[in-house]
Amino acid sequence: MNSGVKTISIGMLGCGVVGSQVARLLQDDQQELSERSGAHLVLSKVGVRKAGARPGVDASLITTDLASIVNDPAINIVIEVMGGIEPARTLILEAIKNKKSVITANKALLATHGHELFNAADAAKVDLYYEAAVAGAIPIIRSMRESLAGDQITRVMGIVNGTTNYILTKMHEEGRAFADVLKEAQALGYAESDPTADIEGYDAAAKAALLASLAFHSTVTIDEVYTEGISNISSEDVAAAKSMNSVIKLLAIAELTVKDEISVRVHPVILPQSHPLATVRNAFNAVYVESESAGQLMFYGRGAGGAPTASAILGDLVAVTRHAAYATVGYGESDYADLDIAPIGAVKSQFFVRLHVADKSGVLAAIASTFSSENVSIQTVRQAGLGKDAELIVVTHAASEDALDACVESLRKLEIVRNVESVIRVEGAPA
Ligand code: HSE
């Protein structure tokens, strides 16, 4: 690298699992990263909320004065890895106002206040990059935003939460119950001590909002994502899916409807074993993209963890540094299409309905007639004995959520129906 190159100073907000890996790699790979960026990269300040040493980080860089980082005229780029909405939002806005490009891994913040932040970055002509916010190391943001910029994406389906994928994989492969695997995942450090955000689908919903916004050039926020988690998935559901040569996965789905609206949702699905996403095991993530010209693409890798997430941040850092060094900016967010969100009731899918019924004549006819009265067409029915009762597994052809809900309500009123045990959407199967 010649001696005339600029020095780019980096300030980091947060220094936890991800931040400490970013700091380590910036130090270990400084020469290579600088060569690739076209500028000398220097980590000059690390802001933390609680004072104290951080392993591998020079103590002289650490400060608890977070505002001093975003207001320091000597700092060119801010990396935000502290998480949470505030003070991250205010600090990022301040950094942008001060003409600093920002790299963030903060999915919850972008899925809530992305519009405000991206507009601010656009107005200040700086970059706001966030590859690490969705699916960790997987380069899905840049692929969708840049590589697929010339195509029309029609659908994105992702396994974007490692904790839930780990739990569902163990339930499927080892026949274990949800609560038992959750405990193990917590002991192994995959699941948080409060696992709500993962198991109830909120973490995936933030990522779904970001993927939908990007895919369809519209602003989608987390509160517009229909969200169901996996805490109601039972061993019986998993065994039933297995017997259908399928698996249960928690998917984030963003797709264009026939009315050119966006359906964006997170919920468990039954997926045939032959679908590429069905092969994604344990804590791995994958995003499956369908587009008009490219067809189907799948991106697979580690969705969490210090080093994998740091890899995505450093990729952004090299890109943003090149822009800063040459006084330009990269692709910004685009929301020109401004598509509406489809109401969940109108979204059509196939459904799996597992119910316990009395085992006597006329039962199947009554069940079939209930589905037919709501215009929901049955694809297959399977019956297994349960002593005096029977278990029925009905898979429907594509039907709207509203129609299926009406069906389930009617089924519950039938005297011969002991219980509707579960209703799970079916994806990726021939309809
Ligand atoms: N908790 C997430 C997961 C990682 O289990 O995948 C951070 O989004």
Side-chain angles (χ1 to χ4, degrees):
M1 171 166 292
N2 71 53
S3 54
V5 298
K6 271 191 179 177
T7 292
I8 294 284
S9 286
I10 299 151
M12 190 160 75
L13 299 168
C15 195
V17 175
V18 175
S20 56
Q21 290 301 312
V22 171
R24 177 183 68 80
L25 290 164
L26 267 173
Q27 201 170 289
D28 292 356
D29 300 341
Q30 188 184 29
Q31 183 60 32
E32 296 235 308
L33 290 168
S34 295
E35 290 287 352
R36 293 173 198 172
S37 306
H40 285 297
L41 289 175
V42 179
L43 180 62
S44 53
K45 275 188 188 170
V46 176
V48 295
R49 276 180 279 198
K50 279 193 194 135
R54 296 297 190 276
V57 180
D58 184 343
S60 68
L61 303 185
I62 294 180
T63 174
T64 52
D65 183 0
L66 301 174
S68 76
I69 294 181
V70 296
N71 290 312
D72 183 343
I75 287 179
N76 308 96
I77 295 173
V78 171
I79 296 176
E80 185 271 307
V81 281
M82 63 194 300
I85 303 293
E86 287 294 356
R89 172 181 158 271
T90 302
L91 290 165
I92 290 177
L93 284 171
E94 196 65 17
I96 290 172
K97 202 178 87 192
N98 291 328
K99 304 276 181 207
K100 300 176 199 317
S101 285
V102 175
I103 295 159
T104 178
N106 195 332
K107 66 208 137 244
L109 176 63
L110 292 178
T112 316
H113 297 285
H115 192 61
E116 176 189 30
L117 295 164
F118 288 120
N119 279 347
D122 207 30
K125 296 196 168 39
V126 296
D127 288 322
L128 174 55
Y129 271 36
Y130 60 100
E131 186 64 73
V134 180
I138 302 176
I140 187 62
I141 301 298
R142 187 163 291 117
S143 302
M144 283 172 62
R145 184 206 266 150
E146 299 184 22
S147 311
L148 291 169
D151 207 335
Q152 306 296 329
I153 295 174
T154 50
R155 183 140 90 135
V156 183
M157 296 205 294
I159 294 173
V160 291
N161 183 270
T163 305
T164 44
N165 203 50
Y166 178 86
I167 294 172
L168 291 170
T169 303
K170 292 288 169 189
M171 289 175 76
H172 183 89
E173 294 181 0
E174 296 172 14
R176 290 161 60 196
F178 170 80
D180 173 36
V181 186
L182 172 61
K183 247 188 240 155
E184 180 197 89
Q186 285 172 313
L188 288 171
Y190 286 130
E192 310 275 343
S193 51
D194 176 0
T196 315
D198 290 322
I199 65 174
E200 298 306 345
Y202 309 136
D203 172 77
K207 295 164 183 168
L210 298 182
L211 291 172
S213 302
L214 197 54
F216 303 119
H217 302 274
S218 301
T219 300
V220 179
T221 57
I222 187 169
D223 55 355
E224 295 175 303
V225 181
Y226 172 83
T227 306
E228 272 177 43
I230 64 162
S231 53
N232 290 330
I233 299 292
S234 66
S235 311
E236 289 77 15
D237 294 326
V238 172
K242 205 168 181 174
S243 72
M244 293 159 57
N245 283 326
S246 296
V247 292
I248 299 183
K249 294 288 187 192
L250 182 71
L251 292 192
I253 300 175
E255 64 187 349
L256 267 191
T257 69
V258 285
K259 288 185 176 169
D260 269 349
E261 292 173 325
I262 309 170
S263 166
V264 53
R265 51 196 207 266
V266 169
H267 52 66
V269 304
I270 292 183
L271 203 61
Q273 288 277 13
S274 55
H275 193 284
L277 284 170
T279 62
V280 179
R281 298 171 59 245
N282 297 324
F284 277 87
N285 282 197
V287 184
Y288 186 77
V289 179
E290 294 175 41
S291 68
E292 276 180 11
S293 306
Q296 293 92 21
L297 302 151
M298 188 155 102
F299 303 83
Y300 170 90
R302 291 192 189 277
T309 309
S311 161
I313 288 172
L314 292 171
D316 279 353
L317 180 65
V318 170
V320 169
T321 301
R322 290 192 71 85
H323 304 157
Y326 297 103
T328 182
V329 286
Y331 285 70
E333 271 335 83
S334 87
D335 56 5
Y336 70 87
D338 198 21
L339 301 180
D340 290 331
I341 307 293
I344 187 71
V347 172
K348 288 193 166 183
S349 1
Q350 287 185 261
F351 288 89
F352 157 108
V353 183
R354 188 167 67 84
L355 60 168
H356 289 175
V357 297
D359 195 358
K360 58 184 191 189
S361 71
V363 167
L364 265 185
I367 302 283
S369 136
T370 306
F371 277 91
S372 128
S373 67
E374 298 297 342
N375 247 330
V376 176
S377 168
I378 292 174
Q379 186 184 54
T380 57
V381 182
R382 221 185 55 200
Q383 177 171 337
L386 287 175
K388 279 208 314 276
D389 294 337
E391 177 169 91
L392 286 184
I393 292 175
V394 178
V395 176
T396 73
H397 288 291
S400 72
E401 297 259 344
D402 279 346
L404 203 280
D405 285 352
C407 243
V408 170
E409 210 181 306
S410 304
L411 287 169
R412 288 205 162 108
K413 287 185 189 142
L414 294 179
E415 205 201 315
I416 46 145
V417 173
R418 306 284 186 240
N419 193 28
V420 178
E421 297 282 317
S422 49
V423 176
I424 305 174
R425 295 159 189 86
V426 178
E427 290 285 341

